[in-house]
Amino acid sequence: QVQLVESGGGLVQAGGSLRLTCAASIAAFSTRTMNWYRQAPGKQRELVADITSSGNTNYADSVKGRFTISRDNAKNTVYLQMSSLKPEDTAVYYCNVRRSGLHYWGTGTLVTVSS
């Protein structure tokens, strides 16, 4: 069974920072690529960042230089540090992992950036 629980969202002013946390319950967490997605109102869900088992990271162009993804394998946790937030970052942020060809999602955490 896979369970992903996001936390850390909230309301922040433009230019501010937030750190999202995803607590994962999944076998062999340290071997898995972990992903953060987001979905803004009226838009499709998009990949924000991912981190491989070896710690390699990948970012959407829209967040490069502002967001940092990291993981703590001892805690089965992945983080998304978000800085210099913009109103267009407003979205529900989801933690995601793939196992045996299936996608697993958390329930999401809402980030609202006011101008």
Side-chain angles (χ1 to χ4, degrees):
Q1 187 172 354
V2 178
Q3 187 174 21
L4 303 172
V5 180
E6 304 96 337
S7 61
L11 175 63
V12 63
Q13 288 188 332
S17 299
L18 282 175
R19 188 177 81 156
L20 306 183
T21 298
C22 171
S25 176
I26 182 171
F29 171 84
S30 64
T31 69
R32 305 191 184 278
T33 294
M34 298 299 297
N35 312 292
W36 282 101
Y37 283 76
R38 69 185 180 187
Q39 187 165 18
K43 295 188 177 181
Q44 289 190 330
R45 195 171 295 190
E46 63 174 353
L47 179 65
V48 175
D50 60 59
I51 184 166
T52 68
S53 58
S54 58
N56 292 324
T57 58
N58 177 60
Y59 298 93
D61 287 343
S62 59
V63 307
K64 280 180 182 176
R66 300 188 298 121
F67 290 12
T68 302
I69 189 171
S70 61
R71 66 192 299 159
D72 185 338
N73 290 333
K75 296 181 178 180
N76 279 23
T77 299
V78 61
Y79 305 98
L80 186 68
Q81 178 68 47
M82 307 185 296
S83 303
S84 302
L85 283 161
K86 305 175 181 181
E88 51 264 44
D89 294 318
T90 295
V92 178
Y93 285 72
Y94 297 92
C95 186
N96 165 274
V97 65
R98 274 162 278 185
R99 189 186 75 171
S100 302
L102 297 177
H103 283 262
Y104 293 88
W105 301 91
T107 56
T109 186
L110 176 62
V111 172
T112 304
V113 184
S114 63
S115 57

